[in-house]
Amino acid sequence: MKFATKVIHAGIEPDPSTGAVMTPIFQTSTYAQNAPGDHKGYEYARSKNPTRTALEANLAALENGVDAICFGSGLAAQDAVVKLLKTGDEILAVNDLYGGTYRQLIRVWSQWGLKSRFIDMHDPANVDAAIGPDTRLIWIETPTNPMLNLVDIEAVCAIAKRHGIMVCVDNTFASPYLQNPLDLGADVVLHSATKYLGGHSDVVHGCLIVKDAELGKQLHFIQNASGAVPGPQDCFLVLRGIKTLHLRVQRACENAEKIAHFLASHPKVASVNWPGFSHHPGHAIAAKQMRMFGAMLSFDLKDNTFDSAKRVLSATHLFTLAESLGGVESLIGHPASMTHASIPREERMKVGLTDSLIRLSIGIEDADDLIEDLKKALG
Ligand SMILES: *Cc1c(COP(=O)(O)O)cnc(C)c1O
């Protein structure tokens, strides 16, 4: 089945009891049993819910996996992956990553004796050199947030495999329409479904997709044992969002290309980070592992102060100043004070995350209107 067909049909059957074409929201916490242990596969809704089951089957298909596990947020999904590890184990993560991921590793998991190191992965050889005796998990985000750096998933996975180390790829920025890490050798794919999968900025949700059934079972066990499950209404919203994923992401990428070129030619803009530019250092990798170049971009101002960034951030009308990304509407954000405020300034500066860096999540509005809005704000 091709992608555009999968988003509509994979894992989804008309409801057997009524014929309802759309997966019903099974708003129930428990299920009737005929006799003790004699039931229809559902006992208690933390363990299983039919709306969630349909979404998990759909997600598994979108990432070419065998199983998916859904959570109440992207960070709850991350939490479950880390729970596969033990005290003393080490995580090697890319050094330019989602602020909440960093915060969980440093502020929560370090207290449980899990070590995390953050390294530049633009050259896969750096990963090979950094692997130590306790390294058990490699954490990749690509393109990275907010610098839009690229990591060669296939090359890093090949190195990890030689050392018997698990790889998890946070695929939130790309979405399954643009990139499928399991095909490139990853063991686990993570999505904050809050972003492109949900796509309408109306739900917080996370998921994991795996290609090994046994690993899927372990993660379902953690999901049930720790309990950070999404409600059925939220699963319904993600299922509904996914039906237009390919159309939304395609249009957003087309818009992003036009906006990236507009910004690159603007006299007040110092640099634009967007992997579609042939001079972008990760361009060749992006072309190899992504279907299009994505709808996220960031740019820096020539006047590189927080104040000048603030003026632009407060002056747009169509671009809403807000955290998050991946919705139908365009958003503008200031990573240093918003999404990445939990990362110390000196760590931020090391990866080029300056006080004047502005991040855009491009939506599916008309590109000309979006460009006009930015033109006025920069003026
Ligand atoms: C938003 C986000 C997360 C966290 O997901 P939540 O649903 O907000 O918990 C993780 N990784 C990336 C890349 C994100 O953008």
Side-chain angles (χ1 to χ4, degrees), residues 101-275:
T101 304
Y102 178 86
R103 180 177 56 200
Q104 188 184 109
L105 294 176
I106 290 298
R107 304 272 305 272
V108 179
W109 287 115
S110 67
Q111 299 196 62
W112 298 85
L114 281 155
K115 298 171 282 187
S116 296
R117 264 193 298 147
F118 303 89
I119 60 166
D120 180 347
M121 292 193 184
H122 87 273
D123 181 357
N126 292 350
V127 179
D128 210 8
I131 288 172
D134 297 330
T135 310
R136 293 287 176 275
L137 173 64
I138 292 175
W139 195 275
I140 300 177
E141 219 182 284
T142 179
T144 63
N145 175 16
M147 298 310 298
L148 284 303
N149 289 319
L150 271 285
V151 178
D152 185 332
I153 298 173
E154 198 168 22
V156 173
C157 289
I159 292 164
K161 199 151 290 165
R162 276 210 310 279
H163 294 269
I165 296 169
M166 185 165 63
V167 177
C168 178
V169 177
D170 182 338
N171 204 27
T172 301
F173 256 45
S175 91
Y177 177 63
L178 297 184
Q179 179 170 280
N180 298 120
L182 297 181
D183 293 346
L184 303 171
D187 300 289
V188 185
V189 169
L190 178 145
H191 283 281
S192 168
T194 315
K195 318 294 170 54
Y196 286 104
L197 290 171
H200 296 74
S201 305
D202 52 11
V203 62
V204 172
H205 190 285
C207 61
L208 302 171
I209 302 107
V210 295
K211 61 185 176 193
D212 175 65
E214 195 46 48
L215 181 57
K217 273 193 197 144
Q218 284 178 43
L219 289 165
H220 275 293
F221 173 81
I222 293 169
Q223 176 198 44
N224 184 48
S226 291
V229 295
Q233 165 98 16
D234 289 353
C235 292
F236 173 87
L237 286 170
V238 176
L239 266 173
R240 178 186 166 127
I242 286 172
K243 292 181 202 299
T244 54
L245 176 68
H246 54 311
L247 303 175
R248 288 185 285 105
V249 175
Q250 186 186 345
R251 173 60 62 86
C253 289
E254 289 164 4
N255 283 351
E257 177 166 6
K258 291 178 189 161
I259 290 165
H261 282 100
F262 159 73
L263 288 169
S265 65
H266 197 283
K268 291 195 179 163
V269 173
S271 57
V272 183
N273 304 309
W274 180 65

